[in-house]
Amino acid sequence: MSFSGEVKEELQKQVAAARHCQIAELASILHFCGSLQAAEKVNNREEGVRPSSYGEKLVIQAENEAVIRKCFTLLKKTFNINTSVNEKRVGNSMKPGLKPRVRTSARIRAYDIELTDPVQIKQVLQAAKFMDKEGMLRDMRAPVSAMLIKNSCCQRAFLRGAFLSSGSMSDPGKSYHLEIVCTNLFQAEQIQTILLSFEVEARIVQRKKYHVVYMKDGTGISDFLNIVEAHKSLMNFENYRIVKEMRNSVNRRVNCETANIGKTVNASTRQAEDILLLQEKYGFENLPDGLKEMAEIRLAYPDAPLRELGEYLDPPVGKSGVNHRLRKLSELADNVRSQQGINR
Ligand SMILES: [Zn+2]
């Protein structure tokens, strides 16, 4: 199973104890996967219009079984509604709540729950605030009522439902990427805002007709798994991260050492240039004794580090003494250059 699938399996089993959280998660699932469908063809429902009769059914459908199983559990726990999960084959032209996918000629397997009892539909939609007390309907794709996600516990539940319904993440052994595909920008922004309240920054990108909330940093994804309470997945994810970090730190150290060697070579090349210029345009015999000896030693050992150069001097001097003399030589070379109009 993919890492993403494992996270969903874990989230399916993670059922909040409080009723407010259960309703928040259910509202999230309805928001992404739910739709009211005409039971008969003649029944034409318009938004904001009281359904003439409840000749409608509430369908919750997804390609991922975990979210539908979770929905089943929540309906049972919250409303004591007993339903069944149906498996079906659907065409490619799926309803927009589902993730876009590569077109294949094969028919896609999907799972759904159908509520047909008008009393139950009303009960569920009203609790999830998709229907008001008068029975007026709200667009299920519009942001979930703020009333339902006031508490951080309910926000966690909402995000859990969102990831189960429409989220995915890449295998952390390969790359860091977590996303939730939304059918509209308002939906995406609601998720982004909730994440921000947990101090997690996510971005939104438009992909064809979808708005995708995503994050690509290990810390953000780790925080997300923590927020939705996928603790087992979080541990697995962190293990991947540790291995990756160690590998990176070894690479960083190697790069760093290479860079330092480069620095030494560059500096010694410049010093050699300066000294050769002094030799030619100024004369070693005109240098004070300390500098003359330093110049000769530098030319004799072009690649030696400063500490080593100091040991060749008589009497030996420390690294800072060597540095001081080399700087003096360079200043002198710069003076000669400016006097004689020579460019480096
Ligand atoms: Zn809650």
Side-chain angles (χ1 to χ4, degrees):
M1 188 183 284
S2 65
F3 195 89
S4 201
E6 283 172 21
V7 174
K8 290 191 181 188
E9 278 299 306
E10 187 179 5
L11 292 182
Q12 184 207 320
K13 291 172 197 145
Q14 175 70 36
V15 182
R19 185 180 162 86
H20 41 84
C21 300
Q22 292 170 2
I23 289 176
E25 186 165 354
L26 191 61
S28 179
I29 294 173
L30 287 171
H31 173 61
F32 281 98
C33 307
S35 61
L36 266 180
Q37 296 176 10
E40 299 105 2
K41 232 178 174 179
V42 288
N43 196 321
N44 241 345
R45 182 184 63 81
E46 280 168 31
E47 192 194 326
V49 173
R50 184 200 301 259
S52 50
S53 68
Y54 286 98
E56 292 186 308
K57 56 183 180 178
L58 179 59
V59 181
I60 303 109
Q61 180 175 299
E63 286 174 37
N64 184 281
E65 194 179 355
V67 62
I68 301 301
R69 297 243 163 251
K70 183 62 173 284
C71 186
F72 172 89
T73 308
L74 291 171
L75 286 170
K76 171 85 184 128
K77 278 195 182 284
T78 321
F79 303 103
N80 199 25
I81 293 176
N82 285 303
T83 55
S84 57
V85 173
N86 314 305
E87 187 184 332
K88 46 168 71 173
R89 298 271 167 183
V90 292
N92 286 320
S93 56
M94 300 207 61
K95 68 185 190 61
L98 297 172
K99 242 184 94 176
R101 54 188 302 145
V102 182
R103 282 188 181 281
T104 65
S105 55
R107 286 164 83 75
I108 298 157
R109 190 198 306 255
Y111 301 86
D112 81 2
I113 286 174
E114 291 188 11
L115 291 187
T116 48
D117 179 346
V119 178
Q120 288 179 347
I121 294 175
K122 190 175 169 184
Q123 194 183 10
V124 172
L125 290 182
Q126 283 186 339
K129 307 255 182 249
F130 291 122
M131 183 189 278
D132 67 15
K133 286 194 182 73
E134 282 73 45
M136 293 297 173
L137 289 165
R138 264 185 70 222
D139 181 1
M140 272 196 237
R141 300 282 173 263
V144 166
S145 164
M147 299 256 289
L148 291 178
I149 45 173
K150 276 185 308 203
N151 308 329
S152 73
C153 57
C154 298
Q155 291 173 350
R156 288 174 194 274
F158 171 86
L159 290 173
R160 196 153 52 226
F163 185 82
L164 267 172
S165 303
S166 206
S168 63
M169 68 176 284
S170 57
D171 187 327
K174 292 183 186 131
S175 63
Y176 295 150
H177 183 94
L178 186 147
E179 66 177 38
I180 297 172
V181 178
C182 301
T183 48
N184 61 67
L185 184 60
F186 303 113
Q187 203 175 51
E189 283 175 343
Q190 182 171 41
I191 292 172
Q192 190 183 40
T193 307
I194 295 173
L195 283 171
L196 208 54
S197 74
F198 287 102
E199 293 177 1
V200 173
E201 278 187 52
R203 290 164 184 269
I204 296 174
V205 66
Q206 190 165 2
R207 197 186 291 156
K208 293 192 176 154
K209 59 180 178 169
Y210 299 94
H211 289 82
V212 181
V213 186
Y214 72 96
M215 49 186 93
K216 292 193 89 63
D217 63 303
T219 312
I221 294 171
S222 174
D223 287 346
F224 183 89
L225 293 174
N226 194 23
I227 292 163
V228 297
E229 295 166 300
H231 299 305
K232 202 174 116 246
S233 299
L234 175 63
M235 287 244 297
N236 292 339
F237 182 78
E238 286 298 335
N239 284 340
Y240 276 109
R241 268 182 97 199
I242 288 164
V243 172
K244 205 168 190 168
E245 279 298 307
M246 268 166 57
R247 212 178 291 143
N248 284 346
S249 110
V250 168
N251 285 342
R252 256 200 305 276
R253 209 157 54 224
V254 170
N255 290 342
C256 223
E257 277 164 9
T258 312
N260 274 338
I261 289 166
K263 229 164 89 186
T264 312
V265 170
N266 270 336
S268 66
T269 309
R270 288 175 81 87
Q271 284 157 10
E273 272 173 24
D274 289 345
I275 291 164
L276 288 171
L277 180 110
L278 289 174
Q279 193 174 34
E280 194 190 331
K281 307 280 180 187
Y282 191 82
F284 274 1
E285 64 279 9
N286 298 318
L287 291 170
D289 284 349
L291 291 186
K292 181 171 175 266
E293 193 193 3
M294 185 72 254
E296 284 164 351
I297 299 271
R298 174 81 281 184
L299 287 183
Y301 303 98
D303 296 324
L306 300 189
R307 189 176 301 284
E308 198 184 315
L309 287 179
E311 286 162 12
Y312 297 136
L313 293 170
D314 184 28
V317 301
K319 189 176 163 184
S320 70
V322 171
N323 197 30
H324 176 76
R325 290 184 199 191
L326 287 171
R327 216 172 38 236
K328 282 272 169 219
L329 285 167
S330 291
E331 280 167 18
L332 202 53
D334 282 340
N335 284 341
V336 172
R337 279 194 195 92
S338 65
Q339 277 166 19
Q340 305 195 8
I342 303 166
N343 292 323
R344 181 182 270 280

